[in-house]
Amino acid sequence: MDAPPRGFADHWEHLRAEFALLDHALREVARRTRPSLTDGRRPGPVEDDADADAEAGADAEEAEAEAHAGAEADADAADDPPGALAELRAALDQRVAATPASVRLPLARLVAAAGLTPWEVTLVVLCLGVELDGRYTRLCGLLQGDHAYSRPGTLLALDLLGGGLPERAAGRAALEPGGPLFAAGVLHLLQDPRGGPSHLLGLTDRVRTLLLGNPRGPERPWLRFMAPGRTPGDADEPSALRPVVEQLARAADGLMHDGAWAAGPAGTRLVACLHGAAHAELCDTAHRVASRLGTGLVVLDAGAVDRTVSTLADAVREGVLTARLEPALLLVLLPLSGAPGTPEAGERPDAGLDGTVRELAAVLDGSGWLTLVAAPHPVAPPAGTLTPWVNLTVPEADPGDVARRWSTELEAAGIAVDRADASSLASRFRVGPAGIARIVARASATARLLGRPADLPVVEAVARDGSGSVLGSTARRVRSAQTWDDLVLPTEQQRQLRELAGAVRSRGRVLSEWGFGARSPRGRGIAALFSGPPGTGKTLAAEIIASQLGLDLFAVDLAAAVSKYIGETEKNLSRIFAAAAGTNGLLFFDEADALFGKRSEVKDAHDRYANIEISYLLARIEAHDGVVVLATNLERHLDEAFLRRLAFSVKFPFPGAAERERIWRVQIPAGAPIDPDVDWALLASFPLSGGSIRGAVLHAAYQSAAASRPIGTVSLLAGLRRELEKVGRVAVPSDFGAHWAEIARGGIDEAASP
């Protein structure tokens, strides 16, 4: 009675057995094809037949002992009967099946995930062999008639397949660029080193790293793995989200065949496009579905793929293969771009979101099971797509649910917060449950590193650090430590600004606990307009509000957003709003009249497109769920429909003499040396805005430091003179009285200079 097959001890024993089997296959190829080495069928210089015989025979004999131990082969390979290779393959597969589940065999995982045939496994092992052993590179060159061909080509692959003309024809079709090995992300084609039309075969980076012992593959900035979350049936799962999660989980169960997630026919595939919420919330929904199924989630950020390094199609294939290997669900994050549409004239055919969808659909047509796609809006696949696509609306997270999740995570970490604190966090930081857990974990680790207890300020700081990267070059992050005391405004304007900050803090409670959210079908964000002359404190006020709320301020770069081409400004601004939807920050537009001007009478096509652009931007402001502050020097130039959509409108007046004196005083830090006899009244008598006063004080500080003396009246007046010159006003000596002589020298006593 035959003993049961012995399983493999580890991955490396399995690979040694596969290489031994490969040696048998290569010896059979050499035996069959040696007479044809001089018939001109293969390109390049021809090796001497005796050399080829000796090299191939020696290499095969060298592996004979290992072949016998690893694959239980006959000791005399030269006398192998027909079908012996198939028997050896069957014996090796039996050993794989007998290997305990606790022993991870990456090659066996790849075979199951990609559905590889024995011939395809041989090709994969040969491609790995040329990466590790020069013996295989020499054999490839000998068997292909040219040492330059150190990797297997299509003809050598067909020789390994064997069989007659029908089998070789089928094998050749499988080696086309769209063949199963390439569609599955296992192999890729390399150019002929001689510049000919043939191709060589190589392993993809993902498969190479897998077979070399790294189960997660190479580091990719656009690909990450999320481990399974809590067990199905989370008590804290939002009630509004539960139907979507259950629907996707049922769909996933229905797509499984033979109890597995292996690749199947088109009828067993589905692409579910999730939209209606921020990327963080869509990602959280996908993670919940994966956790319901007891698996992880592979997240591929299509917008972050560097196409100068890798094509999107290759990146998606790698994501699909990674998901199959885990196994896990795959979530593809589509770029945060504008409304769908065809590319503009002069753009590349694959430009924009539509081009991304076309590439994605082409790859997913050849993948199996369920793929989730996170998009800014419903997406329709291109005509002729085989895999069905469905659009599912994910409801926005209820602020009350998010606040409860903050409370749960913070209490579990030993961080005490009250109900108002949790509601404020939910209002200010738009992250899903998984993001909340990561923030709290990072905050605890940060506090331990600093040797202090974890508290709410540490949590807020960590939450701020994780925001803003998606805005890229369209906006710059501004952080300020200034407070309300640094802003000099009349009492009414101060009150309005504090009301704005209070509204942002409490909107979660108002919309969720008090029920106002159900009465607001449009965006739940807060938009404010700051209007007034230049230098009156509009930007400073926005910075202070962001600082007081624990948020970052993102100042939009209008030079990068505004375009002279029709439709381009709309696209750029749409990208900004879409990116800001998942960003924990305050979005600040300076000189907003350049973007939100009045709609004009339509006299030509340009007027019509300009009005459409303004209308679209007005709708985006209204639908935005975050905090937006717009500043303008010319409120009268703004469209009236836009003004009606604002929750707050604060007018910044030009400061009077009393306000100017306060501004002069607060601009000098407590640690700066100051002459006690500064004539504040004289300084305040000059009609300067707050911005100009700041410039004058900074100029005076530089000049005083250069003269090694405290900041005094003369140096401040000298800085004031420079600010007057900036606005085109000529300094009159009588305005400065007895100080003019020294001011004319720049405010520096040359004798006192070092």
Side-chain angles (χ1 to χ4, degrees):
M1 182 176 180
D2 294 337
R6 175 176 58 87
F8 290 106
D10 54 31
H11 169 52
W12 308 113
E13 185 184 9
H14 180 204
L15 280 185
R16 284 192 292 270
E18 288 285 356
F19 282 130
L21 190 57
L22 172 65
D23 292 342
H24 278 270
L26 291 173
R27 180 166 182 168
E28 287 299 317
V29 170
R31 190 181 296 164
R32 292 195 312 268
T33 62
R34 188 184 309 121
S36 66
L37 287 174
T38 57
D39 66 2
R41 181 163 63 91
R42 290 176 175 79
V46 177
E47 293 289 334
D48 181 79
D49 191 50
D51 290 342
D53 182 29
E55 180 81 19
D59 284 337
E61 289 172 3
E62 180 182 333
E64 196 65 38
E66 188 171 8
H68 175 76
E72 301 176 352
D74 189 348
D76 186 6
D79 296 329
D80 285 344
L85 201 60
E87 293 179 4
L88 293 173
R89 166 56 63 188
L92 195 153
D93 290 343
Q94 288 177 1
R95 292 192 63 188
V96 170
T99 302
S102 58
V103 178
R104 298 179 69 86
L105 302 179
L107 179 58
R109 288 174 58 199
L110 177 65
V111 171
L116 301 182
T117 66
W119 170 58
E120 291 167 341
V121 175
T122 302
L123 289 182
V124 169
V125 175
L126 177 55
C127 289
L128 179 64
V130 300
E131 302 268 1
L132 300 175
D133 191 341
R135 184 165 57 93
Y136 292 107
T137 62
R138 295 193 301 272
L139 277 172
C140 285
L142 287 169
L143 294 174
Q144 296 176 110
D146 190 337
H147 280 308
Y149 292 87
S150 58
R151 292 176 180 270
T154 53
L155 288 178
L156 177 55
L158 295 179
D159 289 339
L160 285 168
L161 175 63
L165 184 60
E167 290 79 12
R168 292 178 69 90
R172 184 66 185 86
L175 294 177
E176 291 295 323
L181 284 171
F182 308 108
V186 176
L187 298 183
H188 66 129
L189 291 174
L190 305 171
Q191 291 300 317
D192 189 316
R194 299 289 187 187
S198 61
H199 292 279
L200 303 182
L201 306 177
L203 297 177
T204 60
D205 291 343
R206 180 67 182 89
V207 172
R208 181 189 303 107
T209 54
L210 172 73
L211 298 182
L212 292 179
N214 181 358
R216 285 286 158 80
E219 292 292 331
R220 304 295 195 197
W222 37 264
L223 193 69
R224 61 188 174 95
F225 175 76
M226 297 177 65
R230 297 178 181 177
T231 56
D234 268 353
D236 60 347
E237 185 167 270
S239 57
L241 192 60
R242 192 170 297 119
V244 177
V245 174
E246 292 176 349
Q247 183 178 0
L248 288 170
R250 285 195 304 270
D253 285 334
L255 292 173
M256 295 180 71
H257 52 90
D258 297 329
W261 299 349
T268 62
R269 304 183 196 129
L270 179 67
V271 177
C273 181
L274 310 180
H275 64 93
H279 262 183
E281 296 169 8
L282 298 179
C283 188
D284 174 62
T285 302
H287 192 221
R288 289 178 182 275
V289 174
S291 298
R292 282 285 187 97
L293 300 169
T295 184
L297 181 71
V298 174
V299 183
L300 191 158
D301 187 349
V305 175
D306 185 353
R307 301 200 184 194
T308 64
V309 177
S310 175
T311 67
L312 177 62
D314 287 339
V316 175
R317 291 188 189 100
E318 182 171 329
V320 170
L321 182 59
T322 300
R324 288 180 181 175
L325 289 169
E326 288 295 338
L329 272 181
L330 174 64
L331 171 67
V332 180
L333 304 178
L334 290 184
L336 292 167
S337 58
T342 56
E344 298 292 332
E347 288 186 331
R348 295 180 294 105
D350 62 339
L353 185 59
D354 288 345
T356 300
V357 170
R358 282 194 295 272
E359 291 183 80
L360 179 62
V363 176
L364 295 182
D365 264 355
S367 70
W369 211 51
L370 173 67
T371 303
L372 305 179
V373 175
H377 48 68
V379 172
T385 301
L386 300 177
T387 302
W389 284 52
V390 298
N391 287 290
L392 292 176
T393 301
V394 176
E396 294 177 349
D398 182 87
D401 289 333
V402 179
R404 285 188 288 274
R405 187 57 182 255
W406 274 109
S407 295
T408 300
E409 295 290 347
L410 291 170
E411 289 173 4
I415 303 175
V417 293
D418 57 25
R419 188 175 179 180
D421 290 333
S423 178
S424 177
L425 289 170
S427 299
R428 291 181 288 149
F429 302 111
R430 298 199 61 192
V431 290
I436 293 173
R438 286 194 297 271
I439 289 172
V440 174
R442 286 183 56 200
S444 299
T446 301
R448 287 195 299 270
L449 182 64
L450 298 176
R452 55 174 288 187
D455 53 14
L456 189 60
V458 175
V459 173
E460 291 176 336
V462 170
R464 290 176 64 183
D465 287 339
S467 66
S469 59
V470 293
L471 285 168
S473 61
T474 59
R476 58 184 176 88
R477 187 198 302 248
V478 178
R479 287 185 173 177
S480 174
Q482 293 177 301
T483 66
W484 294 115
D485 294 336
D486 298 308
L487 183 64
V488 178
L489 283 174
T491 303
E492 176 61 21
Q493 280 73 19
Q494 288 268 7
R495 183 181 59 80
Q496 288 180 287
L497 294 174
R498 292 176 185 269
E499 287 177 356
L500 170 58
V504 177
R505 284 196 184 94
S506 59
R507 63 174 174 160
R509 177 181 298 181
V510 171
L511 295 175
S512 177
E513 298 178 19
W514 292 5
F516 280 82
R519 296 175 176 265
S520 303
R522 298 174 182 173
R524 301 181 177 185
I526 295 178
L529 175 69
F530 295 171
S531 60
T536 51
K538 301 183 292 295
T539 301
L540 176 63
E543 293 175 3
I544 291 173
I545 290 174
S547 176
Q548 294 299 305
L549 293 172
L551 301 175
D552 286 327
L553 182 140
F554 295 100
V556 176
D557 183 1
L558 292 184
V562 177
S563 173
K564 64 180 180 180
Y565 297 105
I566 292 175
E568 282 301 309
T569 300
E570 180 181 357
K571 287 183 179 181
N572 294 338
L573 268 294
S574 181
R575 292 188 185 99
I576 291 172
F577 279 110
T583 299
N584 306 322
L586 184 153
L587 202 57
F588 180 70
F589 291 86
D590 200 1
E591 300 180 5
D593 48 284
L595 297 171
F596 304 97
K598 290 184 178 180
R599 283 168 283 196
S600 60
E601 179 183 353
V602 176
K603 296 180 180 179
D604 54 26
H606 186 276
D607 291 337
R608 179 169 61 87
Y609 280 111
N611 288 345
I612 292 174
E613 178 180 281
I614 294 171
S615 299
Y616 176 75
L617 292 174
L618 294 179
R620 289 296 275 132
I621 279 280
E622 191 172 33
H624 183 58
D625 284 341
V627 183
V628 181
V629 173
L630 304 106
T632 179
N633 303 331
L634 303 168
E635 182 184 4
R636 64 182 183 276
H637 287 182
L638 294 177
D639 192 280
E640 293 180 1
F642 167 69
L643 295 175
R644 291 196 303 269
R645 288 169 165 83
L646 298 171
F648 293 87
S649 179
V650 184
K651 294 178 172 57
F652 287 67
F654 194 89
E659 286 82 13
R660 291 197 295 271
E661 181 172 339
R662 288 178 54 202
I663 295 173
W664 277 105
R665 290 177 180 273
V666 300
Q667 291 305 312
I668 300 178
I674 181 73
D675 188 331
D677 296 328
V678 171
D679 191 344
W680 301 110
L682 174 62
L683 295 169
S685 66
F686 291 87
L688 293 179
S689 67
S692 296
I693 293 174
R694 279 195 299 274
V697 170
L698 190 60
H699 179 89
Y702 288 142
Q703 300 307 311
S704 297
S708 298
R709 67 184 185 187
I711 301 172
T713 300
V714 172
S715 58
L716 290 170
L717 287 173
L720 184 150
R721 176 194 179 195
R722 298 304 183 201
E723 292 299 318
L724 291 176
E725 292 173 348
K726 289 181 184 179
V727 297
R729 179 178 169 183
V730 178
V732 179
S734 59
D735 292 338
F736 299 91
H739 303 293
W740 174 253
E742 190 173 354
I743 292 173
R745 297 197 305 270
I748 300 178
D749 185 352
E750 299 293 345
S753 299

